[in-house]
Amino acid sequence: MSTLVNNYIYKALDAYPYDLEAAMEALEYALAYDDKNWMALLLMGRIQFEVFQDAEKAISYYREALAVNIHAVQVYPYFFKVLLRQEDFQALASLIDFAMGIKGIDKAEVYKTKALAFERQQRFKKALAELKQAKLHCYDEDSTEAIAREISRVKGKLPKKKKKKSLEKKKNTKKK
C-alpha cells in the first residue's frame, strides 16, 4: 500500500506546479490511501499557500504533517515562510526554537528566517546578528555569498549615522 501512495506522491511532485489538476488529483488519491502521509500533506500545504494563497489551510496541512513526523525537516522552511508572510512572529519564534533542535535541519536557513522576521519588524541590528550566525552555518560558497548579500542589503536599511565633524562644529558654535 505504501508503494501505491508513494507512486501518487511522485506523480504529484512531477506535475506540480505545471499541471495543477494532475497534482491535486494525485494528492487526493495519496491522501485517500494514507491520510497521514507527511509528504502528501506538505505538498497539499504548499499548493494551498503558493497557488490558492490560503495561509490558514496551508498552516493546517503543515501542522498535520509535523504531527505525523516531527523530524520531517522538509516541512519547516515552508511552514516558516507562511508564518513570516502572515507576520505571526510569536508562532514563528516558537517553531524556530523547536526546529533548531531537530537533527538535520539547515541551521543557516533557520537563522536566515529568524533574520527576516527581525527585518520585517524593523529590528535591523538583530537581523544582522542572525545573518552573521547564518553565515557561520553555511558550508558552501553559494550559500555564503547569498548570506553576504543579505547582510549588505540589511545594512543598507540601517539609519545613517551623523558624521562626528558636523557634531563637533555644532558644539563649537554653541560655546561661542
Side-chain angles (χ1 to χ4, degrees):
M1 175 113 123
S2 88
T3 305
L4 185 59
V5 172
N6 288 340
N7 285 339
Y8 283 119
I9 291 172
Y10 297 144
K11 286 180 184 180
L13 287 169
D14 188 45
Y16 184 72
Y18 307 106
D19 187 354
L20 190 58
E21 184 179 353
M24 289 296 291
E25 183 179 334
L27 282 176
E28 287 172 5
Y29 279 120
L31 289 170
Y33 283 107
D34 181 6
D35 63 343
K36 300 294 184 204
N37 185 291
W38 69 266
M39 185 64 84
L41 293 166
L42 167 61
L43 190 52
M44 191 63 92
R46 286 185 60 196
I47 290 171
Q48 291 301 318
F49 183 66
E50 296 167 9
V51 176
F52 300 121
Q53 302 295 307
D54 191 338
E56 294 306 315
K57 279 186 182 176
I59 288 170
S60 176
Y61 279 112
Y62 295 150
R63 282 191 176 135
E64 198 173 338
L66 289 176
V68 171
N69 183 359
I70 201 79
H71 299 285
V73 294
Q74 298 89 334
V75 176
Y76 290 95
Y78 296 106
F79 203 168
F80 293 158
K81 189 175 182 179
V82 173
L83 293 174
L84 190 60
R85 176 86 56 84
Q86 292 298 103
E87 296 182 354
D88 191 347
F89 300 118
Q90 187 176 6
L92 179 61
S94 296
L95 186 62
I96 284 172
D97 289 342
F98 182 80
M100 288 300 273
I102 301 293
K103 193 174 185 176
I105 196 87
D106 184 352
K107 287 187 175 23
E109 281 299 316
V110 176
Y111 281 116
K112 183 180 172 187
T113 300
K114 204 171 180 182
L116 288 171
F118 284 129
E119 183 183 359
R120 296 274 306 257
Q121 297 171 67
Q122 296 187 0
R123 296 166 66 186
F124 302 118
K125 288 184 180 180
K126 285 194 174 233
L128 284 172
E130 295 300 331
L131 286 170
K132 288 176 184 174
Q133 283 296 314
K135 197 171 185 179
L136 291 175
H137 288 87
C138 289
Y139 301 109
D140 63 68
E141 194 173 328
D142 291 338
S143 297
T144 304
E145 288 175 7
I147 295 296
R149 285 191 304 274
E150 290 290 313
I151 289 171
S152 176
R153 185 182 59 75
V154 173
K155 278 183 179 178
K157 292 183 177 185
L158 286 172
K160 305 291 182 210
K161 292 183 181 181
K162 293 182 179 179
K163 293 182 181 177
K164 289 183 181 181
K165 289 183 181 180
S166 64
L167 290 175
E168 288 176 14
K169 285 182 182 178
K170 285 183 183 180
K171 286 181 184 178
N172 290 336
T173 55
K174 288 182 181 179
K175 288 181 183 178
K176 294 182 181 179

